[in-house]
Amino acid sequence: AYVDGMAELVAELPASAPAKTYRDFRETLADVGRHPNRAYFILKRIMVNNLYGVDIMAEATEIAKLRLFLKLVALVEDVARLEPLPDIDFNIRAGNTLVGFAGLAQVEKVVRGDRLLLLPEDEALLAETKEEAEHVDRLFGRFRQMQTAHDVREWSEDFVAAKAELRRRLAVLNDRLNRLLALQYGVEPARQPAAYDAWLRSHQPFHWCVEFYGIMARGGFDVVIGNPPYVEYSTIRDVYEPSNRSLLKTGNLYSLCTEKSLDLVTPNGYVGIIVPISSISTPRMKSLMKLLVKQSCFLSISSFAVRPDKLFIGADMNLTILLLRRGQPKTNAVFCTRYNRWYTSGRPYLFQTLVYAKSRYFETDQSAAIPKIGSSTEMHILDKAVAFRGVEKLEAHLSVGDTIYYHSGGRYYRKAIRDRLSNEYKPLTLKKGWGDVLICLLSSSLYYLIWIITSDTYHVTQGDIRLLTVPESLENDQRLTGLATRLLADMWAQAERRTRTRAHGTQQEEVNFRVGKSKRIIDAIDRVLAQHYGFTAEELDFIINYDIKYRMGDALVEDGDGG
């Protein structure tokens, strides 16, 4: 597109235009014209000059390079005129994204330690490191330039020599920074060579300020995209400890990688990350959510279910795509989609049909979320049901009296019953007389909607339950007592019972409630609740019909309703 635009501008120049007009465009067009395959040359230039990547698995980097090469080869029309494939060994690198120095400022901070001023020898070390890094960057630039020259073959000897020199200088710089970083981990390379070698193998440090000095010196990458590992920190704690520790308490590597992405992008750059939906809907991720809102001037969040279809094979979980532009936070700069479900047949249209609405970060004593909404109607319902500044929280009605049990899992319906059928049913002890009210409320489509909007859409926790505001007027509404009795009777009448043989030979009966078959009673409950919460007719209609295609469609038959 840029080459076409350059050609149009040059073609429109009058004959009297000075020779220097669009000189850079003319030179680029001439360069493109000298190559036998225009598309091949343009993509090759992009790969050499614009694309960079890091992965802790060396095999993954080799596969990435191979896929890029195959993309180029697919463009070749005449094998006899095939240009050499690019050498992108210095673009796609193996290393640990989370361990290492991102910028020379971090190196200076480590060298300085607790001192206010740098010692002369420290200044000399930093100056030498910067000088060496600049030299490496110039070599890297020359290395890239050779690959996009008109006749690459004429550079063959210089090319090999340049690559060897680049590798040698990078090795020296990396060794210097590795030794400096190891000291921060309590490993002294000079006195503990065996421990140092083990630390190198386990931590695989990657220093962005050396490997990509020119980019980081200019402020970072323009765009950072990634699909970070969804791995609990506890599983790798004994292997390595990340350099950036501010989000360690979130407990998962994906949040640390998201933070790293913000460190690597320019002050006005863009970040795109695919992460679990828990990133925007669980209390332990509140520091990540605050970081996203604080460091972005525009934040776009789209969320996707794992059933009936999923975003990609290998991630059997609900996912969120975070797209943001870094910058000073602005009012009304957070936009979300609803929690999207789709059938396989609708996959080609999934992204084209996303609808966004203004959202915001909110936090309570036990909850934190950026609500997954796709319309202002959902936000209005959420505000009325949760009443962020309200005082009639469910907490006020928890006491010794009635005990009910809410189901901690499920997909298309929420359930609350009077009997504990398994460990998946969690107790909720209430004031006397509030049992039926809470059975209705926690089984309603209203609560299902609130739960989908604010939770990880997989677990039901005490924090999810206590998010609710419960109007006092519900206590004296006798209609709810009758509806609770009807709902439970209908659920048991529609339930499926089956016997499973457990590992040690005993048999256990399981009950699977087909809650969707009781939807007419749930609708009646929502109509009563709407009067107490002050929902409009439009809001009530939205609640009753929310996700109805999947809650009452084929997915209900295929997957069960979470009973």
Side-chain angles (χ1 to χ4, degrees):
Y2 277 119
V3 171
D4 289 342
M6 293 178 195
E8 288 180 15
L9 288 170
V10 170
E12 292 171 358
L13 282 174
S16 58
K20 65 180 181 180
T21 307
Y22 294 146
R23 177 180 294 168
D24 51 348
F25 289 2
R26 295 172 193 264
E27 292 173 354
T28 299
L29 291 170
D31 200 15
V32 172
R34 283 193 292 268
H35 289 264
N37 187 318
R38 169 174 161 159
Y40 183 100
F41 171 70
I42 290 174
L43 281 185
K44 178 180 177 180
R45 190 158 181 166
I46 289 171
M47 290 179 192
V48 170
N49 293 320
N50 302 95
L51 294 182
Y52 304 86
V54 179
D55 199 291
I56 196 169
M57 295 176 63
E59 313 93 277
T61 64
E62 293 304 315
I63 292 171
K65 286 185 278 191
L66 177 60
R67 288 178 65 87
L68 290 172
F69 294 154
L70 291 175
K71 177 71 174 178
L72 278 178
V73 172
L75 297 171
V76 174
E77 299 170 350
D78 183 359
V79 177
R81 306 183 71 186
L82 174 65
E83 292 187 42
L85 290 169
D87 188 322
I88 51 177
D89 285 351
F90 297 107
N91 294 57
I92 312 296
R93 308 305 303 269
N96 193 334
T97 297
L98 297 177
V99 177
F101 296 112
L104 290 181
Q106 293 181 355
V107 179
E108 179 179 339
K109 184 177 179 181
V110 168
V111 170
R112 184 194 306 269
D114 297 329
R115 299 188 301 272
L116 295 177
L117 298 174
L118 288 169
L119 299 175
E121 56 266 32
D122 295 336
E123 291 182 342
L125 173 65
L126 290 171
E128 183 181 354
T129 302
K130 182 178 180 182
E131 183 179 346
E132 278 294 312
E134 290 173 345
H135 190 78
V136 165
D137 187 54
R138 288 193 294 271
L139 276 176
F140 192 17
R142 180 64 171 160
F143 184 72
R144 294 196 305 266
Q145 184 183 16
M146 289 179 181
Q147 299 189 68
T148 54
H150 171 50
D151 189 352
V152 178
R153 293 173 182 83
E154 69 184 45
W155 297 100
S156 58
E157 292 185 9
D158 291 341
F159 183 81
V160 173
K163 184 172 184 178
E165 178 68 3
L166 192 49
R167 283 192 186 281
R168 185 187 69 79
R169 288 182 176 271
L170 273 174
V172 171
L173 267 175
N174 276 315
D175 181 65
R176 179 183 299 165
L177 295 185
N178 286 342
R179 291 174 178 275
L180 185 61
L181 185 62
L183 292 173
Q184 308 306 305
Y185 284 81
V187 178
E188 297 187 35
R191 295 176 54 190
Q192 303 168 286
Y196 175 63
D197 289 341
W199 177 83
L200 285 176
R201 288 192 299 272
S202 63
H203 284 66
Q204 297 178 250
F206 185 86
H207 305 295
W208 300 80
C209 59
V210 169
E211 304 288 354
F212 305 127
Y213 172 79
I215 294 170
M216 298 309 297
R218 289 190 294 272
F221 294 87
D222 298 297
V223 177
V224 174
I225 62 174
N227 175 26
Y230 312 151
V231 176
E232 289 294 310
Y233 174 58
S234 58
T235 64
I236 60 93
R237 182 186 290 114
D238 295 335
V239 180
Y240 71 86
E241 183 180 350
S243 297
N244 56 321
R245 303 179 177 91
S246 64
L247 293 187
L248 273 183
K249 58 185 176 183
T250 61
N252 201 293
L253 295 189
Y254 76 75
S255 65
L256 300 180
C257 289
T258 303
E259 179 186 21
K260 190 70 171 185
S261 299
L262 290 167
D263 291 341
L264 297 173
V265 78
T266 64
N268 296 305
Y270 297 86
V271 173
I273 299 286
I274 305 175
V275 290
I277 210 166
S278 57
S279 60
I280 59 163
S281 53
T282 53
R284 72 167 177 164
M285 289 295 163
K286 64 172 63 175
S287 56
L288 172 61
M289 287 182 265
K290 289 179 179 179
L291 182 71
L292 291 170
V293 173
K294 182 180 179 180
Q295 292 207 15
S296 59
C297 61
F298 182 85
L299 175 59
S300 163
I301 301 172
S302 49
S303 297
F304 304 90
V306 71
R307 296 286 186 279
D309 202 359
K310 65 185 75 173
L311 276 188
F312 56 88
I313 297 171
D316 196 20
M317 61 178 65
N318 302 301
L319 296 174
T320 289
I321 299 179
L322 303 172
L323 300 175
L324 65 87
R325 184 175 186 183
R326 195 176 170 206
Q328 286 295 114
K330 298 179 181 178
T331 305
N332 298 326
V334 179
F335 292 83
C336 285
T337 70
R338 65 180 298 177
Y339 177 63
N340 290 282
R341 301 186 194 272
W342 71 97
Y343 293 110
T344 303
S345 59
R347 185 180 184 88
Y349 318 104
L350 179 61
F351 293 137
Q352 301 172 30
T353 54
L354 292 178
V355 176
Y356 291 82
K358 290 181 180 179
S359 189
R360 64 177 184 266
Y361 170 77
F362 82 87
E363 178 183 337
T364 65
D365 291 341
Q366 298 190 46
S367 300
I370 299 176
K372 302 178 287 294
I373 60 172
S375 68
S376 58
T377 299
E378 288 162 274
M379 185 58 84
H380 292 155
I381 293 171
L382 181 63
D383 279 341
K384 290 179 180 179
V386 175
F388 300 131
R389 291 171 295 279
V391 293
E392 297 176 318
K393 288 293 183 183
L394 175 60
E395 194 80 26
H397 306 291
L398 297 180
S399 179
V400 177
D402 293 342
T403 298
I404 65 171
Y405 299 89
Y406 64 91
H407 193 237
S408 59
R411 180 170 293 120
Y412 296 106
Y413 289 89
R414 303 270 37 87
K415 296 182 295 298
I417 58 178
R418 294 194 179 104
D419 307 291
R420 189 170 196 178
L421 302 182
S422 70
N423 289 334
E424 292 183 347
Y425 287 85
K426 307 300 180 183
L428 192 65
T429 304
L430 308 156
K431 290 179 181 177
K432 195 70 175 174
W434 278 89
D436 289 339
V437 172
L438 266 296
I439 286 174
C440 287
L441 184 55
L442 297 180
S443 301
S444 67
S445 291
L446 167 62
Y447 182 63
Y448 173 76
L449 170 61
I450 300 303
W451 177 74
I452 288 289
I453 288 174
T454 59
S455 77
D456 65 1
T457 67
Y458 185 71
H459 303 94
V460 183
T461 68
Q462 281 283 331
D464 298 327
I465 296 291
R466 298 184 183 198
L467 182 64
L468 285 170
T469 295
V470 182
E472 292 285 352
S473 58
L474 289 173
E475 181 180 14
N476 299 316
D477 195 323
Q478 295 303 312
R479 292 174 296 177
L480 294 177
T481 300
L483 285 168
T485 301
R486 283 179 55 199
L487 176 63
L488 293 179
D490 198 58
M491 285 171 55
W492 280 105
Q494 306 286 354
E496 294 181 354
R497 293 173 174 83
R498 55 190 174 190
T499 302
R500 287 186 181 273
T501 302
R502 306 181 71 178
H504 51 274
T506 60
Q507 292 187 325
Q508 180 182 22
E509 184 182 64
E510 290 186 355
V511 178
N512 184 28
F513 290 112
R514 312 297 290 181
V515 188
K517 296 181 181 295
S518 305
K519 181 70 163 58
R520 68 190 185 283
I521 303 175
I522 295 174
D523 291 348
I525 290 172
D526 283 302
R527 292 188 182 96
V528 173
L529 294 176
Q531 298 173 19
H532 292 272
Y533 284 97
F535 295 133
T536 65
E538 177 188 2
E539 290 165 350
L540 174 59
D541 183 69
F542 187 94
I543 292 167
I544 289 176
N545 292 293
Y546 180 75
D547 241 0
I548 196 70
K549 176 181 177 180
Y550 303 99
R551 298 177 78 195
M552 299 299 291
D554 292 340
L556 185 62
V557 177
E558 295 169 2
D559 298 324
D561 57 26

